[in-house]
Amino acid sequence: MWPTPCPPGSRCGEDLRAVGLLPGRPGPDQADRVVVVLLTAFGIVLLGTVAQAVSGFGYALVTVPLLAAAVDPRSAVVVSALTGIGSTLITAVRERAFARWRVALAVTATALLGLPAGLLVLAYAPERLLSAVIAGVVLGCVALVWSDARIRTGRVGLGAIGVLVGALTAATGTNGPPLVAAFHSLGYDPRTFRATIAATFAGTGLMGLAGFAATGQLHADVLRTALVALPAVPLGWWLGNRLFHRLDPVLFRRLVLVGLLGSAGVALAGLAG
C-alpha cells in the first residue's frame, strides 16, 4: 500500500519494512496489518462518498487526510483520485440537467494550466510538507464555507480559480475549497451546486489521473488499495443520495464541516508524530 521505490527523503521505506514489503526488519503480524489498512481504506472511501453525494463536496477533503494517516500522503492523493472519480462521474451524469456546464467547462479548461505545478509538488515535496499542505487546505475549506465567504466570479476570477484547482488536483487531491467558495458566490441552489461541482470534479479528476499515469504514480500498491476500496463508492452513493433527499442541507453542511475539522486534526496529529 506504499509506493515502491520510495521517493528520496521519504520515510516510506520504513513503512514498507514494517509490513514486510521490503527486506529488513519485518513488523509483527504483517498480513493482519495489511488487511487492516485495506479495510480502513474501504471505510474512509465509504465515508467520503456519502459526504460527496449529500453535500456535493468533501470527498477528497475527508479521504486524503485520513488515507495519509493509514498509508502515506502521496499514495493517499492517488488512491483518493482513483476511487473518487467514480462518484463524481455518477453525479455529473445523473444530475447533468441541473449543471451549469459553461462554468464547469471554463474552470476545467483553465485547470490544465495549474496541473503541471501540482504534479511537481506531489513528486518532489517532502512528505511532512505535503501532509501540512493537505491539512492546511482542509482547514481553509472549513473557514471559507463556515464564514460564508464570497469571492469574485467574473471571467478573470473563474480563470484564476481554475488554475488553483488544477494545481490542487495534482498536488493534494483536495481541490474543492476554491470551487465551493466560487459556486457559493454564484448563488447556486443545492442541486445546481452539487451538479456543477460534480461536473467540474469529473473533468479535473480525469486530467489528474492522466497526470498521475504520466509521472509514474499509478503503481501496483496504489492500484491494489484503490481496487479494494472501490466497492465502497456505489454503496456510499446509494446511502448519500437517500440522505440528500431527507436531510436539511444546512444541517448536513454543518455536519460535513465538523467532519472536515476532524479529518484535518488527524492530518495534523500525523504531522506532529
Side-chain angles (χ1 to χ4, degrees), residues 26-198:
D29 302 322
Q30 299 167 9
D32 289 344
R33 293 186 63 182
V34 171
V35 170
V36 168
V37 169
L38 293 174
L39 291 176
T40 300
F42 182 93
I44 291 169
V45 168
L46 178 64
L47 181 63
T49 305
V50 171
Q52 179 80 16
V54 176
S55 66
F57 73 99
Y59 179 80
L61 294 166
V62 170
T63 57
V64 173
L66 297 180
L67 285 170
V71 285
D72 66 86
R74 288 184 178 85
S75 296
V77 171
V78 183
V79 169
S80 178
L82 283 168
T83 53
I85 192 65
S87 62
T88 54
L89 286 171
I90 289 171
T91 308
V93 171
R94 293 190 59 167
E95 303 290 312
R96 61 189 180 277
F98 300 93
R100 302 294 175 86
W101 285 99
R102 180 176 294 182
V103 172
L105 290 173
V107 173
T108 302
T110 54
L112 277 169
L113 300 175
L115 195 68
L119 289 172
L120 287 173
V121 171
L122 181 69
Y124 296 108
E127 286 190 6
R128 289 180 64 83
L129 175 60
L130 195 57
S131 295
V133 172
I134 290 169
V137 171
V138 175
L139 291 173
C141 178
V142 174
L144 279 174
V145 178
W146 210 302
S147 65
D148 201 28
R150 296 182 179 272
I151 58 178
R152 295 185 62 181
T153 51
R155 289 185 179 182
V156 174
L158 284 176
I161 289 167
V163 174
L164 179 58
V165 165
L168 290 174
T169 296
T172 67
T174 52
N175 57 3
L179 291 177
V180 170
F183 294 166
H184 179 64
S185 299
L186 289 169
Y188 291 162
D189 62 86
R191 195 158 194 180
T192 300
F193 178 94
R194 185 174 76 156
T196 306
I197 204 169

